[in-house]
Amino acid sequence: MRKNAFRQSTLTRTALAIAASLLVSTVAYAQQSEGSIFGKAAAGQKVTITSVDTNTSRQLVADANGSFVQSKLPPGQYTVTSNGVAREVTVSIGTGTQVVLTEAGQMQRVLVSRRRNKIDVSSVESTTVFTAEQMQALPVARDVNAIAILAPGVVKGDADLGAGNLPAFAGASVAENGYYINGFDVTNIRNFLSYANLPFDAIGSQQVKVGGYGAEFGRSLGGVISLATKRGTNTWKGGASVIYSPDAGRAKGQNVENLDSPGEYTVHRAYDRFNDISANVFLGGPIIKDKLFFFGVVEGKRDSEHRFRGSNSNTFIDTTPNGMIKLDFTPSDKHRFEFTGITNKKEIDVTDYKNALTNQYASSHVGTGKESKLTSGGHTLIGKYTGYLTDALTLSALVGSVDDKVEKTTGFRVADQSCPVVVDDQTEIGCWTGPFPGESIRDPSAKDDKDSRRAFRIDVDYVLGDHTLRGGIDTQKFTSAAAGSSTYSGGLYWRYIPSPTGTVNGVPNTVAPGAKYARKRIITSTSGEFEVKNTALYIEDSWKITKNVLTYGGLRWESFDNKNSDGVSFVKAERLLAPRLGAAWDVNGDASMKVYGNLGRYYIPVAANTNIRATRGELFTHQFYTYTGRDPVTQAPLGTVEIGNKQVNGDGALPLPSTIADVNLKPMSQDELILGAEKLVFNGWRAGIKGTYRKVQNGMDDYCSHLGFERWAADNGHPDFDSRTMAPCAIVNPGNDVTLNVDLDNNGKLAQTTFPASYVGLEKYSRSYKALEFTLDRPWDGKWSVNASYTLAKTKGTAEGYVNSVINQEDAGVSQDFDFPSLTHGSNGYTSNDRRHVLKVFGNYALTDTLRLGINATASSGRPTSCIGFVPGTQPDFSDAEGYSTASSYYCLRSDGPDAGRTSVLGQRGTAGRTPWTNSLDVQLAYMPKISKGKLSLQMDIFNLFNTQKVVEWNETRDYSRATTVNEIDPDTGTRIIEGQLSNNYRRPTSFQQVRSVRLTARYEF
């Protein structure tokens, strides 16, 4: 092993890998976890490809034109020889490496010499590849999503969705991505916000696809993150690392005062503390030389977090070890077997402390804490066979499983759930255990919530003259077990709310103006196991029609089948056609300049969350009361008298599967066009330009209003129609006609009925993305490297996508966006993931033989924001809207003029200003002393060096609450009679850039 990774005089294979990984924004071969070698040799001559790492070998014969190609090669170092000419090359995940063997000479390392640092002309895809060496050499979080955000066209998503900071690819939401490990899909499609993870030190390379991928890929509209793990070689290699992120190196977070409740805060982060430490041990080598290889890594950690809020504080400590093993068996040069096993369980010890009313927002934990435990995670198993059956025919088969337990709580937080959630305006009171909404009460007879994936795929490659043909089948079964529950501790949620006017639930003079009433909310659901089956067939042809022109054609047939807990399908779509076309022109014939383009359609499955939400029974009610006192223990109201009618958003009944979705429902798809060019410009520098256009077709969401159906029935001679016989919500393509099975004449007989879009009243589901990317990179030469990109982009539509960043709704595919028509008014505008300008620069510089500097800098324009409020009583569907207590429409109370607070006005999505520009500079200093054996590196990373805590999100809600967006309307003028209440926290920060932090790393490898 090389002692100094950045000494020009001692460049070896590690430097080759770093150089290869720095060739970002290349156009790459389609393989998920492998690469290819292609090139020229003397016609009819044998070409031998030998793995430097494992000594396995493949022999090919160059065709009559001297061309040869070998696909499905594991990433690593290879020697390619023919007719006395030899080249040493690096194969990276998802890329094709070109080799020219027609000129005699000594062995040349293709990726060291910038003169031979050519553009990949073997494919029409767009991809970015990072090796483990590059990821270690850059100041970036040890997280695959943080790596993905380095790629052009990728921005950081909303911090409150999923685990936070998920990537948004090319205008898509963060819930539309695909994740792969060694070619196996590990995306959790319950809501597309998580995936099966693995220890970071197990990653050998990461491929990021921002679009334009071939027909073998599908089931995502955003991007693809594909990981190839490390693997054993013929040499025993190992090492250990310790990574420490001390709280002492972390800047303080910010607090934001609650202007609607003096003395309280909407954001309180100044006292929070974090200490993370992990230790990794890894080892790989031959069990049987040239035949059986092993690699394993074990990660131990102690991550601790201390949160300090108003009425409580908490500690979270995670000490769960994780690991991975990788086995490779090559009984002969024609056959390769692989096994990958990953454990990623998590157990977090939680301690909750309660602050006294006189000691709110304490800076340290108060009293004796109560203990709980959060358990989640599971394991991933992957098996793969690759057979190089002939020179022209390659076969691979992959099978795998993922088991992932949804987070489960035990201990104090669920020990006594008899106390209901009680909140006095904004203050949590009573005996229940926070944070809000407390721990839900699970169905005691239900299994643990769990997501399971069982999948296999078969792929065949065949080279026929100038054609490289590929095809395969890809099938998966995803099962989500979801226990029925009450959303709130104690089974219900009481809230005391002041009424400025005395009107409650539409009933005037119920309480004195300014006095409080009690609102009771109940949300419960039923249990079940819900299944999603996804199947795809694909075929593709890469045809070199001339010496310099490659064309690509592919076709993918997608099928989706979503079932309820009884195993009955409610959404089923078969043989959806997803064509892909592309071309690449090697302009000069020497891989120094390429012009390329591709056009394709992509589908995304219906999330399992839709099965759960749409097909199980849900009870969702609001009731309003006057009261005479409060229980001294629970603080729930006593002496209650109900006000007005109960508001029922769901009655708890199980809907019939045939009534849940539009009979003609079209699963969500997206069309994409990419045109680009790359050129080697001077001294090894590579410049690129790429234009991207994406447009969502047939967006899909749930629709929860019955008013349009009732109007159509009345207008078409069905006076007995009772919409209460329908499912509470239906899955539709917003903006299209809706065809449902309904009991039109209230006689118990279902009739397939088409309701015109004009009656349904929804805006058309739309989202478009237009972008122009400019890239410039200088590969590592032993002294320095740099990669820069600038993206000019616009993302616009009536929906963000599968999730909603404004109200942080994670219900993939069943958001509030299209629940009823007035929620779509004003919805066409710039979405939350629109970033007009993004500039990224990262790279390395060797200060000395033993000191290396790394940088990662980003500047980005702000996020578009809207004015969010409640649907006013003037709207025809107000009877639907008044039950929604979360502001989610583009109607806002007027904030100025004589009608301030009296009338609601309709705004447009994304027109209420943008958050400020953000910029961040991360730096790394690495010291690599010379030692007699092995390699030692000591690193310090400083993230957000200048601690620029700019606002990345602010409160977009202008109306104070549903109750104070009063509904009394003068019938003569159509204006409000009584003034409503505006939120003083409108446009106040809710999230900031991550504070400055330090990470220390010690790593030894032998």
Side-chain angles (χ1 to χ4, degrees), residues 661-952:
D662 188 335
V663 173
N664 300 319
L665 184 73
K666 298 178 181 179
M668 190 165 165
S669 64
Q670 179 173 267
D671 291 342
E672 178 185 71
L673 172 66
I674 293 176
L675 297 173
E678 294 181 77
K679 181 175 175 55
L680 299 180
V681 284
F682 55 89
N683 295 329
W685 287 78
R686 178 196 302 253
I689 182 172
K690 184 176 80 170
T692 302
Y693 176 70
R694 287 178 160 188
K695 183 179 181 180
V696 166
Q697 306 287 354
N698 302 311
M700 182 183 64
D701 213 309
D702 65 334
Y703 175 63
C704 302
S705 175
H706 292 169
L707 297 177
F709 305 141
E710 293 169 354
R711 289 197 305 273
W712 184 90
D715 291 347
N716 288 272
H718 300 281
D720 297 325
F721 175 64
D722 184 354
S723 67
R724 289 175 296 181
T725 62
M726 302 179 68
C729 299
I731 311 302
V732 303
N733 297 124
N736 293 358
D737 295 347
V738 175
T739 302
L740 296 170
N741 291 308
V742 295
D743 184 359
L744 268 181
D745 298 310
N746 202 19
N747 58 8
K749 298 180 180 179
L750 297 178
Q752 191 173 114
T753 306
T754 298
F755 300 93
S758 58
Y759 279 88
V760 178
L762 294 175
E763 294 287 335
K764 181 78 173 177
Y765 193 119
S766 66
R767 188 184 72 206
S768 65
Y769 174 78
K770 302 173 184 177
L772 193 60
E773 295 175 11
F774 300 89
T775 58
L776 183 67
D777 75 272
R778 180 186 190 275
W780 175 256
D781 64 349
K783 183 62 178 179
W784 68 288
S785 65
V786 66
N787 177 279
S789 67
Y790 166 71
T791 304
L792 171 67
K794 291 183 179 181
T795 306
K796 191 175 184 179
T798 58
E800 177 183 342
Y802 257 12
V803 292
N804 186 323
S805 296
V806 175
I807 60 174
N808 297 323
Q809 188 175 14
E810 299 182 340
D811 288 314
V814 286
S815 70
Q816 289 189 17
D817 290 359
F818 296 92
D819 279 7
F820 40 86
S822 58
L823 287 183
T824 69
H825 297 170
S827 62
N828 190 19
Y830 295 114
T831 68
S832 296
N833 291 321
D834 176 78
R835 301 291 187 275
R836 193 58 44 82
H837 308 280
V838 179
L839 176 65
K840 303 177 183 180
V841 180
F842 58 87
N844 294 101
Y845 183 77
L847 299 171
T848 69
D849 284 352
T850 58
L851 285 177
R852 182 189 71 224
L853 178 69
I855 66 162
N856 178 24
T858 303
S860 173
S861 58
R863 161 179 170 167
T865 65
S866 308
C867 185
I868 302 298
F870 296 90
V871 174
T874 54
Q875 291 303 304
D877 58 5
F878 178 73
S879 59
D880 291 324
E882 65 179 337
Y884 282 53
S885 59
T886 299
S888 48
S889 84
Y890 298 97
Y891 288 95
C892 291
L893 285 172
R894 190 181 295 277
S895 61
D896 54 14
D899 290 330
R902 297 176 62 85
T903 60
S904 291
V905 294
L906 179 63
Q908 200 74 22
R909 178 198 291 267
T911 59
R914 289 180 178 257
T915 58
W917 274 72
T918 59
N919 56 81
S920 180
L921 175 63
D922 307 329
V923 298
Q924 178 191 101
L925 184 64
Y927 174 53
M928 298 161 291
K930 301 175 184 179
I931 57 177
S932 59
K933 292 183 180 180
K935 183 175 68 174
L936 175 66
S937 64
L938 304 174
Q939 296 179 188
M940 179 175 68
D941 297 90
I942 303 177
F943 301 100
N944 194 2
L945 177 66
F946 299 111
N947 197 30
T948 53
Q949 295 188 43
K950 296 286 186 66
V951 176
V952 296

Side-chain angles (χ1 to χ4, degrees), residues 423-436:
V423 176
D424 190 347
D425 196 10
Q426 301 287 338
T427 304
E428 299 173 359
I429 59 176
C431 57
W432 65 283
T433 302
F436 181 87

Side-chain angles (χ1 to χ4, degrees), residues 407-479:
E407 187 172 86
K408 179 181 179 181
T409 304
T410 56
F412 167 72
R413 288 189 171 185
V414 294
D416 183 3
Q417 293 185 317
S418 61
C419 292
V421 174
V422 184
V423 176
D424 190 347
D425 196 10
Q426 301 287 338
T427 304
E428 299 173 359
I429 59 176
C431 57
W432 65 283
T433 302
F436 181 87
E439 289 299 323
S440 63
I441 300 178
R442 297 182 78 256
D443 177 353
S445 63
K447 301 177 182 178
D448 287 346
D449 286 8
K450 180 182 176 182
D451 297 314
S452 299
R453 177 189 292 269
R454 302 292 183 267
F456 76 88
R457 65 178 296 144
I458 296 174
D459 300 276
V460 178
D461 289 50
Y462 185 68
V463 179
L464 180 63
D466 294 325
H467 298 264
T468 300
L469 304 173
R470 303 190 68 242
I473 182 172
D474 170 11
T475 183
Q476 56 184 225
K477 182 176 76 171
F478 190 90
T479 305

Side-chain angles (χ1 to χ4, degrees), residues 213-264:
Y213 33 91
E216 74 166 310
F217 277 101
R219 303 181 186 134
S220 69
L221 305 185
V224 170
I225 295 175
S226 182
L227 307 175
T229 63
K230 295 176 181 176
R231 62 184 68 219
T233 69
N234 263 330
T235 303
W236 282 102
K237 303 175 184 178
S241 63
V242 177
I243 301 97
Y244 179 41
S245 298
D247 186 69
R250 185 180 181 87
K252 286 188 175 182
Q254 298 197 42
N255 298 335
V256 179
E257 288 188 71
N258 184 345
L259 299 185
D260 286 323
S261 185
E264 298 182 0

Side-chain angles (χ1 to χ4, degrees), residues 351-417:
T351 307
D352 296 312
Y353 303 84
K354 193 170 184 64
N355 296 334
L357 291 175
T358 57
N359 192 22
Q360 299 286 284
Y361 299 102
S363 60
S364 60
H365 300 301
V366 176
T368 302
K370 306 294 185 179
E371 306 292 335
S372 303
K373 189 180 291 291
L374 310 177
T375 57
S376 62
H379 58 266
T380 301
L381 303 174
I382 305 169
K384 185 175 183 180
Y385 163 75
T386 303
Y388 307 99
L389 305 183
T390 70
D391 286 356
L393 179 63
T394 304
L395 169 72
S396 68
L398 183 146
V399 63
S401 66
V402 177
D403 290 289
D404 182 40
K405 185 166 82 171
V406 179
E407 187 172 86
K408 179 181 179 181
T409 304
T410 56
F412 167 72
R413 288 189 171 185
V414 294
D416 183 3
Q417 293 185 317

